[in-house]
């Protein structure tokens, strides 16, 4: 039986709490266990401390994906909003068909 850890993505505010915990004098091992992250991730968070605090103040999304068909996606989103307003359930296959 193999064991593996599920990837955990911390939010900017969670990363700030991690940094604050370490700066308050908590042991890195204890902080990593508390937030359920590996020590290597903790080190990376501490290394990128300035970026994390500036990102939280700017309120800008860091990951933005742009689709290949912006007009199609815009129409699909407006169609989805109409259907939601009518309480009609939607699934992935219905969205693919509509697109």
């Amino acid at each position: 039986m193999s064991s593996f850890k599920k990837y955990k993505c911390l939010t900017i505010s969670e990363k700030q709490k991690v940094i604050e915990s370490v700066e308050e004098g908590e042991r890195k091992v204890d902080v990593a266990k508390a937030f359920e992250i590996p020590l290597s991730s903790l080190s990376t968070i501490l290394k990128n401390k300035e970026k994390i605090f500036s990102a939280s103040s700017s309120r800008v999304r860091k990951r933005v994906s742009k689709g290949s068909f912006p007009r199609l996606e815009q129409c699909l989103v407006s169609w989805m909003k109409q259907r939601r307003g009518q309480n009609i359930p939607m699934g992935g296959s219905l969205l693919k068909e509509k697109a």
Side-chain angles (χ1 to χ4, degrees), residues 37-92:
I37 58 172
L39 276 173
S40 60
S41 295
L42 176 63
S43 297
T44 304
I45 290 170
L46 294 172
K47 185 175 78 173
N48 295 324
K49 176 170 64 171
E50 299 303 320
K51 288 181 185 177
I52 291 168
F53 280 107
S54 67
S56 69
S57 63
S58 66
R59 300 263 182 204
V60 176
R61 284 185 65 181
K62 293 295 172 186
R63 294 179 188 166
V64 178
S65 61
K66 294 182 180 179
S68 302
F69 305 99
R71 178 75 181 125
L72 171 72
E73 291 171 9
Q74 182 182 8
C75 292
L76 192 59
V77 167
S78 69
W79 176 80
M80 280 177 46
K81 287 179 181 177
Q82 288 175 348
R83 296 296 172 242
R84 272 194 204 146
Q86 299 168 348
N87 290 327
I88 297 174
M90 288 179 288

Side-chain angles (χ1 to χ4, degrees), residues 4 12-13 36-37 62 91:
F4 63 94
I12 297 291
S13 61
E36 300 175 354
I37 58 172
K62 293 295 172 186

Side-chain angles (χ1 to χ4, degrees), residues 5-17:
K5 287 205 168 208
K6 187 176 178 184
Y7 176 76
K8 182 165 184 171
C9 185
L10 298 177
T11 63
I12 297 291
S13 61
E14 288 173 325
K15 289 178 182 180
Q16 285 180 327
K17 290 176 186 173

